Amino acid sequence: MKANEIRKAFFDFFEKEGHKIVPSAPIVNKNDPSLMFTNAGMNQFKDFFLGNKVPEVRRIADTQKCLRVSGKHNDLEEVGIDSYHHTMFEMLGNWSFGDYFKKEAISWAWALLTDVYGLPEDRLYVSVFEGDESDGLAPDEEAAALWRQFVPEDRILYFDKKDNFWEMGDTGPCGPCSEIHIDLRPDIERSKVSGRELVNMDNPLVVEIWNLVFIQFNRKADSSLEELPEKHIDTGMGFERLCMAVQGTTSNYDTDLFTPFIKALEEETGFQYEGSYSLDAKKDIAFRVIVDHIRAVSFAVADGQLPSNTGAGYVIRRILRRAVRYYYSFLDCREPLLFKLLPLLSEQFGPVFPELTSQNEFITKIILEEEKGFLRTLEGGLKRLNQLNINDGDTLSGKIAFELYDTFGFPIDLTRLIGQEEGWQVDNQGFEEALAEQKERSRSDARKESGDWIDVYDSEKVEFIGYDHLKADGIRIVKYRTVKVKDKNIFHLVLDKTPFYAESGGQVGDRGILQIADQKIKVLDTQKENDLIVHHVDKLPTQMDAQISASIDISRRQLTENNHTATHLMHAALRKVLGEHVQQRGSLVNQKQLRFDFSHFEKMTDEQIEQVEDIVNTKIRENITRGEHRNVPIKEAQESGAMMLFGEKYGEYVRMITFDPSFSIELCGGCHVRATGSLGYFKIKSESAIAAGVRRIEAVTAVEAYKYTDGLIQELAEVKGLFKNPVNVSKQVRDLLEANKALEKELSSVRSEKASGMKDSLMSQVITLNGIKVLTAKIEGLDMEGLKTLGYSLEKSLDKSVILLGLDTGEKANLMLLISKELTSEILDASKIIRKIARHIQGGGGGQSFFATAGGKNPKGIEHAINELREIIKG
RNA sequence: GGGGGAUUAGCUCAGCUGGCUAGAGCGCUAGAUUUGCAUUCUAGAGGUCAUCGGUUCGACUCCGAUAUUCUCCA
């Protein structure tokens, strides 16, 4: 079976059992601040388990794209070494939300694996929870009994809490789980050691393929367990491992998920993949690293996460760079390579994940640019390393190695590798110390401690009423917690209903006031955590259970709405002017301005910018009324031509915002004006590039647009005023610039004429002392630059000579001493002499042995300085 | 969010512990060589050393702030 068939068989099987097949959630997580990437199939259903939301259907199955770069065995640096760990992987799963339970989950799992996929039964082992005394839990005999229908006793194993009890977090839904493991070792080895001995022992060929979680408890804050009224099923099956088992290979990398990529790499690099897992088989590791990482990077970019230097974007950058590092070091490749694999990826995943295919060009461009950038960084690092001139047998200090890594991004393993080749070492301990130090520094700064949620009022739901109300009464606090940020306490409140909009979709969170009895509490910000609306306040109400009236900062909200609506209008206008390839890549909307990032491959021309402004301003003048439809089924919205964004997770029902159905329809949870007229005026402030293929526009509306254009007009008026209000200002400025340049030229020729005039009269003042030509003079009306030029030109004409020029500017005095190089000696050292004679002008100085300058505040001393110089020359 | 670096000619960069009249290569312009192109040679133009402020007799160089950018960490 091909991988695509295996995946399809899974869907078909569960669809037949009444499951709804849903699309994968984006791999990039946008709603949960504690999680950057989706790392398990259940992430998108978390709210169902928590009871924050009720699912539309009770049986669901899907494949979820996941990304893991940290954890017990999934450190990024480990991927590629073995045969079965990945950064990006697919997780097949089936779910029951208060519907079927252990019986069905177990029998279906068994049927799918053995009947549909035809896995040999005698190689399958199952594990069940053995119970836990401290939690007062008995062994999961229910599951064990169910398994006995299919599996003989000797292949049913019991494991403890660590392996077979699943918890979502410190509190919340949890329950025992049951895993299916498969033993893929050759018969010879199986006959020597039973697979039974190797389950959960990290053997690469005896691996878990499916985890069935039976969610039946709720872990309370005091760590006690409570039976749930509704029981759930949550399963997860690693797709890559499943393919390995079904296709009978001994490594995930030998399945057809990876072999086409390895083959392509062989052709590109000219090296053969030998499939060795020895730590010395660097080339093979490199192959695996590349074919693994290209998936992670591409999926993340497709869902909108561009490589960057902070947060989730930095994780993606690190993954990509690790792949580059490997082909650079071990496959002798100095040119971008990863981007060439994209057509293949699109071909393979297109049917399941259309976002890869439809954005192929964009992803390719991003990856190519990122590769180029890092190859440049590597080159810079190599150059720097060369400059250090490390000798054979030396040890490169940890400090320098760390500097190379930290400041210039030169990977430490590459430093070590080069050292190995050139016969020097790196002080690893020193490096690790420096790294630990930096981590500590960063961590101590970012320290943010959030306390536990404290429940106040039991509410069925948490409702946002801010589309229709800007203030509301009779609100109750559901829960609160204390958060410590940089030694300051702030507080988070969750209300049962609220007019406050939580930051989302680029629109900033509302601010405003909560009134509780006589107490007024400021809301500093409103943020979203999954589906909770969290109000950030600077103090807690004294009466937690009192009723609250909440009112938001209305003018701030209205200005923000202007900019949000402008974003929609501009998005539509951009697609009209530039083309349908324009896709939103990021957006920020606040009360002052809007910032919109979108995919487009070249700089916009001034005309295009003007056109976009024109279209938007026309739509503003048409004063189009907002069309707002809540709870539109997603299918219907799609059919009406609403713009959908990649990397955005849409629910079953969506909110649709329309300004002229033939112009702008977007799915959006944000706040918008009633009619476009309130935007007043729209003006683009800047258009720039922020990444390969991504442009950014900053624009303003209403008051800010007026202020901005007014500022420009004032500035122009000021310039015009300076020119006595001419008809054509730019011509005036151009002329002035030209005239200025001509004058500058003239001035410099006049100066040099003047200097040469001085030169002639000075040449006649040369005297000979002790056999040396000496010229000393006091000069006025030159600057230091002129003095230097004069001095050098005198020296050139006089040849071997000593020249001392004193410059009197009235308030200050400067000395310049030139001694022809042939004459310099221990005594005739310009620097030493000038230091001595500068005392006369009450100053100091210095320079080289043949040229020195000094400055001071006593012009009358110049004569004395000249006299002293003569004495020195006389000896 | 925190740390470290970078910013010098159109481009890529050099400029050590403050003092060489701020340099190199490529590119550009002109001339010579050549039937023409390529090549080679010669000459030349091109810089508020990111911006602002400070220390100093003197700042591309040291210090501070700002901007842009790279990089590491969270």
Side-chain angles (χ1 to χ4, degrees), chain A residues 256-269:
Chain A
D256 69 333
L257 285 170
F258 294 99
T259 46
F261 295 92
I262 290 176
K263 206 167 145 245
L265 277 183
E266 285 179 332
E267 277 163 21
E268 280 296 336
T269 63

Side-chain angles (χ1 to χ4, degrees), chain A residues 21-40:
Chain A
I21 309 299
V22 302
S24 171
I27 200 167
V28 182
N29 209 312
K30 286 175 185 161
N31 295 320
D32 188 346
S34 66
L35 195 62
M36 287 195 270
F37 301 101
T38 300
N39 65 3

Side-chain angles (χ1 to χ4, degrees), chain A residues 153-182:
Chain A
E153 194 67 41
D154 68 329
R155 294 210 312 276
I156 300 175
L157 292 87
Y158 286 82
F159 284 96
D160 66 3
K161 203 168 157 181
K162 189 175 116 285
D163 283 307
N164 276 58
F165 195 86
W166 181 89
E167 307 210 33
M168 196 160 84
D170 293 339
T171 60
C174 56
C177 60
S178 200
E179 297 175 339
I180 304 169
H181 296 253
I182 189 162

Side-chain angles (χ1 to χ4, degrees), chain A residues 15-207:
Chain A
E15 196 160 29
K16 210 178 77 222
E17 301 295 351
H19 289 69
K20 184 179 162 71
I21 309 299
V22 302
S24 171
I27 200 167
V28 182
N29 209 312
K30 286 175 185 161
N31 295 320
D32 188 346
S34 66
L35 195 62
M36 287 195 270
F37 301 101
T38 300
N39 65 3
M42 56 74 60
N43 286 168
Q44 66 164 319
F45 306 115
K46 218 165 154 181
D47 284 324
F48 297 157
F49 293 129
L50 285 168
N52 292 346
K53 236 187 188 172
V54 182
E56 296 295 322
V57 286
R58 289 176 172 274
R59 296 182 181 190
I60 286 178
D62 72 352
T63 179
Q64 174 65 49
K65 28 188 184 175
C66 298
L67 189 67
R68 285 187 195 170
V69 282
S70 57
K72 198 165 57 162
H73 295 295
N74 267 81
D75 270 342
L76 181 55
E77 290 304 323
E78 299 295 321
V79 175
I81 309 287
D82 63 33
S83 60
Y84 60 107
H85 280 108
H86 300 289
T87 49
M88 182 268 165
F89 58 93
E90 278 182 73
M91 186 83 100
L92 302 172
N94 58 296
W95 280 271
S96 154
F97 305 109
D99 191 27
Y100 63 83
F101 203 47
K102 292 183 193 177
K103 182 166 168 282
E104 293 84 348
I106 286 174
S107 57
W108 286 336
W110 189 259
L112 180 64
L113 292 183
T114 56
D115 296 346
V116 179
Y117 293 138
L119 296 181
E121 297 192 13
D122 65 323
R123 285 174 181 265
L124 295 176
Y125 293 82
V126 300
S127 69
V128 294
F129 178 51
E130 67 176 14
D132 188 90
E133 246 173 66
S134 63
D135 279 331
L137 292 175
D140 189 0
E141 288 304 338
E142 188 188 354
L146 289 165
W147 280 121
R148 279 190 201 100
Q149 303 170 58
F150 314 110
V151 191
E153 194 67 41
D154 68 329
R155 294 210 312 276
I156 300 175
L157 292 87
Y158 286 82
F159 284 96
D160 66 3
K161 203 168 157 181
K162 189 175 116 285
D163 283 307
N164 276 58
F165 195 86
W166 181 89
E167 307 210 33
M168 196 160 84
D170 293 339
T171 60
C174 56
C177 60
S178 200
E179 297 175 339
I180 304 169
H181 296 253
I182 189 162
D183 181 358
L184 293 165
R185 292 173 305 150
D187 290 335
I188 293 195
E189 280 184 46
R190 286 174 66 212
S191 65
K192 281 186 210 149
V193 183
S194 158
R196 197 184 155 82
E197 311 286 316
L198 297 171
V199 169
N200 277 336
M201 298 302 281
D202 286 337
N203 185 307
L205 291 178
V206 184
V207 291

Side-chain angles (χ1 to χ4, degrees), chain A residues 326-594:
Chain A
Y326 270 88
Y327 70 62
Y328 187 91
S329 300
F330 304 117
L331 299 178
D332 292 347
C333 186
R334 297 286 181 272
E335 299 290 319
L337 176 66
L338 299 176
F339 78 104
K340 293 181 181 162
L341 297 175
L342 259 107
L344 215 52
L345 202 68
S346 151
E347 191 186 312
Q348 186 181 63
F349 284 115
V352 213
F353 303 109
E355 64 272 21
L356 275 185
T357 313
S358 57
Q359 298 181 97
N360 209 260
E361 191 194 354
F362 176 73
I363 302 170
T364 307
K365 205 137 186 164
I366 295 288
I367 291 181
L368 173 62
E369 284 306 313
E370 189 67 18
E371 283 188 84
K372 278 191 195 161
F374 187 51
L375 287 168
R376 266 198 298 274
T377 300
L378 288 181
E379 233 167 80
L382 283 180
K383 210 162 140 190
R384 236 180 151 79
L385 210 50
N386 270 331
Q387 285 170 347
L388 291 173
N389 270 328
I390 313 161
N391 297 318
D392 268 13
D394 276 1
T395 299
L396 181 66
S397 82
K399 209 180 132 210
I400 294 177
F402 182 74
E403 192 205 10
L404 221 48
Y405 163 77
D406 178 45
T407 303
F408 303 102
F410 198 73
I412 183 66
D413 52 352
L414 213 51
T415 308
R416 290 192 187 118
L417 200 70
I418 292 168
Q420 231 170 52
E421 281 166 11
E422 298 185 354
W424 45 264
Q425 295 186 328
V426 177
D427 168 13
N428 288 319
Q429 201 192 333
F431 176 83
E432 293 302 333
E433 278 165 15
L435 184 65
E437 215 173 282
Q438 133 123 319
K439 282 188 178 172
E440 183 47 41
R441 211 176 19 238
S442 293
R443 203 171 303 143
S444 69
D445 181 79
R447 194 161 292 147
K448 187 173 142 186
E449 294 162 25
S450 46
D452 284 330
W453 284 111
I454 297 166
D455 292 325
V456 177
Y457 173 74
D458 194 24
S459 169
E460 273 288 299
K461 53 181 178 177
V462 174
E463 196 187 357
F464 175 63
I465 55 171
Y467 293 136
D468 308 305
H469 306 278
L470 300 180
K471 53 171 77 172
D473 301 323
I475 296 170
R476 305 286 298 263
I477 296 174
V478 174
K479 52 185 175 178
Y480 70 93
R481 71 176 171 198
T482 309
V483 176
K484 197 170 181 181
V485 186
K486 288 193 179 173
D487 296 326
K488 256 181 71 185
N489 278 338
I490 67 157
F491 305 95
H492 289 176
L493 298 181
V494 174
L495 308 175
D496 64 343
K497 59 179 178 181
T498 178
F500 284 83
Y501 182 81
E503 178 167 334
S504 157
Q507 183 183 328
V508 292
D510 274 324
R511 291 184 195 160
I513 302 282
L514 299 178
Q515 174 99 35
I516 305 164
D518 293 336
Q519 203 181 7
K520 272 198 167 104
I521 292 175
K522 260 194 192 159
V523 176
L524 308 169
D525 194 7
T526 313
Q527 292 282 336
K528 223 178 207 182
E529 247 185 69
N530 295 312
D531 276 353
L532 290 179
I533 297 167
V534 181
H535 304 73
H536 295 201
V537 296
D538 57 355
K539 59 182 175 214
L540 281 177
T542 41
Q543 289 173 274
M544 293 306 279
D545 51 357
Q547 302 218 333
I548 302 175
S549 0
S551 53
I552 64 163
D553 179 336
I554 294 172
S555 90
R556 185 168 178 273
R557 162 76 86 80
Q558 282 171 345
L559 290 169
T560 306
E561 285 178 354
N562 281 338
N563 287 333
H564 200 158
T565 299
T567 303
H568 283 211
L569 299 181
M570 183 175 82
H571 190 183
L574 282 168
R575 289 171 70 97
K576 274 221 157 72
V577 174
L578 301 178
E580 296 290 307
H581 64 278
V582 168
Q583 266 274 339
Q584 173 170 338
R585 289 285 160 196
S587 165
L588 174 75
V589 177
N590 60 30
Q591 72 276 23
K592 289 213 154 136
Q593 63 162 6
L594 61 102

Side-chain angles (χ1 to χ4, degrees), chain A residues 307-309 312-322 370:
Chain A
S308 76
N309 56 6
Y314 185 54
V315 174
I316 299 307
R317 172 167 284 175
R318 261 167 50 204
I319 296 174
L320 183 137
R321 290 188 168 191
R322 182 162 182 260
E370 189 67 18

Side-chain angles (χ1 to χ4, degrees), chain A residues 686-705:
Chain A
S686 70
E687 191 267 356
S688 60
I690 58 163
V694 184
R695 312 289 306 178
R696 167 171 293 177
I697 285 184
E698 291 180 308
V700 283
T701 61
V703 168
E704 290 296 329

